[in-house]
Amino acid sequence: MKTPFRIATPFRIASVAGLAGLMLAAGPAAAEGDAAKGEKIFARCKACHTIEAGGPNRVGPNLHGVYGREAGKAEGFKYSNAMAESGVVWTPENLDTYLTAPAKFIKGNRMAFAGLAKPEERADIIAYLASQK
């Protein structure tokens, strides 16, 4: 008598568990981006932000060291209350969500940017921001 399903072997269980772990770890924010490509994409951000250490704030804050920092906490920039009180830490996942749709992620923030629709562009920008510490 044939069963309608396959019997799980230890090899199959380990393979499926390993694959599931990789898929969870490699979500869109965790995807490895290319910092060099991210630097080129960051050119779109330069109208409002600087990135070099000690650089000035513009309409938006200097983003040097933003990766891993708490949102709304850079010295010398007047943030919206929404950003300053968000409690968000700029992890890869949070940066990915924010860069997708800034107004939706932190409602009431002042960033006038629609977002980046392409996951690979967000991954590249995140890699570039991570390199700027």
Side-chain angles (χ1 to χ4, degrees), residues 66 68-73 82-91 93-95 98 105-106:
V66 72
R69 184 170 69 207
E70 188 175 349
K73 303 299 182 202
M83 185 66 76
E85 297 169 3
S86 69
V88 168
V89 173
W90 294 123
T91 62
E93 295 78 18
N94 285 337
L95 283 164
Y98 183 72
F105 185 66
I106 299 178

Side-chain angles (χ1 to χ4, degrees), residues 33-57:
D34 182 324
K37 288 180 182 177
E39 183 175 13
K40 291 176 184 171
I41 297 165
F42 188 81
R44 301 177 203 171
C45 309
K46 288 184 176 183
C48 298
H49 297 280
T50 59
I51 190 87
E52 66 275 357
N57 294 315

Side-chain angles (χ1 to χ4, degrees), residues 64-132:
H64 187 82
V66 72
Y67 187 89
R69 184 170 69 207
E70 188 175 349
K73 303 299 182 202
E75 294 282 327
F77 186 79
K78 177 70 173 136
Y79 289 93
S80 65
N81 288 340
M83 185 66 76
E85 297 169 3
S86 69
V88 168
V89 173
W90 294 123
T91 62
E93 295 78 18
N94 285 337
L95 283 164
D96 183 65
T97 304
Y98 183 72
L99 292 171
T100 300
K104 289 182 181 178
F105 185 66
I106 299 178
K107 294 186 188 317
N109 84 79
R110 293 189 303 241
M111 188 156 118
F113 178 65
L116 293 170
K118 296 179 181 176
E120 61 276 6
E121 286 186 349
R122 293 192 308 272
D124 293 342
I125 285 276
I126 293 166
Y128 178 62
L129 291 173
S131 74
Q132 300 301 304

Side-chain angles (χ1 to χ4, degrees), residues 3 5-20:
T3 60
F5 56 88
R6 290 183 165 178
I7 296 174
T9 65
F11 175 75
R12 285 190 187 129
I13 292 170
S15 297
V16 170
L19 182 58

